[in-house]
Amino acid sequence: MNPLQRTIIEKAGHDNGFEHVLSSAGDAVILASARHRSQAAVTALAGGFEVRFQPATPALLPELLRSFQLWAGADDVFRVPTLADLAALLRRAASLSQALPNQAVRDYHVAVAQAVETMSAEARGTEVERLVRQRLGQERYRDALLDYWGGACAVTGVAVTEALRASHAKPWAECADDAERLDAFNGFLLVANLDALFDRFLISFDDAGHLLTSTRLSQSDLPGLGIHSGMRLRWLASEHRHYLQWHRERFLLGA
């Protein structure tokens, strides 16, 4: 690998979520970030680039395969043909690494610690602190879902950020711990009308991602609510199913 190729790889990392170079010895440039714990080893090839990830979470590689199956080898190495493709792969890997479990919880705990430190002694341990913790958690959860779903509704693909809501399958108040509350797989990024229905268990999804509607909704009301036949999640990971099962059980109680 020549100096120009190293520079190109380092800049691609810097511009796409891997701003630190840990080393560039041998044939690979090792990229990392202060914002997440995944690393990428990038090598220049005659016809593109080879990328091998050291993921911060086991869920990263299966999620990358969803979008970049064409470039994936049997050895979990991605071989991308162009610099633009390298940028897209690194950018998605960085976004997912910030959104998927563990990183979101760490970021939340740091934010809470900073917020509590600025509170008066009287406010700590009171309802004020609880509300601050909940607000910060919901903000971090929304950021995680925006990253995971690429800033678009999980069903409709609408990418108007102001119209999107971070919907929990298992509600915040009923989660066992922060890991569940901030798990990007515990819910979906939905446009506001679908969020309102999902939050109130008037719609749910089956294990194939097809939208289910409650019998409490009149068929004549569905078009006005933005619901039509054939609606389904754009994709569904195996990690979603545990939370969806919980949501469907509550959905069926009212159906």
Side-chain angles (χ1 to χ4, degrees):
M1 187 188 306
N2 62 48
L4 176 58
Q5 290 171 322
R6 291 184 189 280
T7 300
I8 288 172
I9 291 171
E10 290 175 9
K11 185 176 189 313
H14 183 275
D15 293 346
N16 294 283
F18 288 85
E19 71 278 9
H20 296 322
V21 178
L22 295 186
S23 68
S24 56
D27 292 333
V29 177
I30 311 300
L31 303 172
S33 174
R35 291 170 288 180
H36 57 80
R37 299 166 69 92
S38 293
Q39 297 178 13
V42 185
T43 305
L45 305 174
F49 303 89
E50 180 180 278
V51 186
R52 185 187 298 272
F53 290 100
Q54 182 177 328
T57 169
L60 178 61
L61 291 178
E63 290 296 333
L64 287 176
L65 288 172
R66 191 190 308 285
S67 302
F68 303 106
Q69 181 68 55
L70 184 64
W71 301 335
D75 50 359
D76 289 333
V77 173
F78 293 84
R79 295 175 178 87
V80 297
T82 70
L83 182 59
D85 295 330
L86 174 63
L89 177 62
L90 292 176
R91 186 163 56 250
R92 182 62 176 153
S95 292
L96 286 170
S97 295
Q98 293 178 81
L100 294 175
N102 300 326
Q103 186 64 42
V105 175
R106 278 191 290 269
D107 291 347
Y108 166 68
H109 288 162
V110 169
V112 166
Q114 292 172 342
V116 170
E117 189 176 348
T118 65
M119 288 181 180
S120 66
E122 293 76 14
R124 296 177 187 179
T126 66
E127 179 69 6
V128 173
E129 181 179 333
R130 188 191 70 79
L131 291 173
V132 167
R133 288 177 178 273
Q134 182 170 329
R135 175 181 59 79
L136 290 172
Q138 290 171 343
E139 288 175 357
R140 186 65 194 90
Y141 181 67
R142 175 178 168 80
D143 289 344
L145 289 192
L146 284 167
D147 285 336
Y148 178 79
W149 289 99
C153 173
V155 174
T156 66
V158 167
V160 180
T161 304
E162 294 82 356
L164 299 175
R165 304 290 182 268
S167 296
H168 275 89
K170 188 175 185 180
W172 175 276
E174 300 192 47
C175 288
D177 52 29
D178 291 338
E180 279 195 344
R181 295 183 187 103
L182 299 170
D183 191 344
F185 294 114
N186 180 15
F188 306 96
L189 189 68
L190 298 173
V191 289
N193 58 312
L194 296 182
D195 164 68
L197 297 169
F198 188 75
D199 184 61
R200 290 161 179 78
F201 304 99
L202 292 170
I203 63 169
S204 192
F205 301 95
D206 67 19
D207 278 342
H210 297 101
L211 187 144
L212 308 172
T213 58
S214 170
T215 55
R216 289 180 288 165
L217 295 177
S218 166
Q219 291 296 309
S220 62
D221 285 335
L222 296 184
L225 292 169
I227 295 176
H228 57 79
S229 177
M231 293 183 80
R232 61 179 300 172
L233 293 164
R234 293 193 283 130
W235 69 76
L236 186 67
S238 59
E239 292 87 349
H240 284 116
R241 291 192 170 94
H242 164 73
Y243 294 110
L244 264 183
Q245 181 179 355
W246 191 99
H247 189 273
R248 278 200 307 274
E249 288 175 0
R250 183 70 63 85
F251 163 82
L252 291 171
L253 285 175

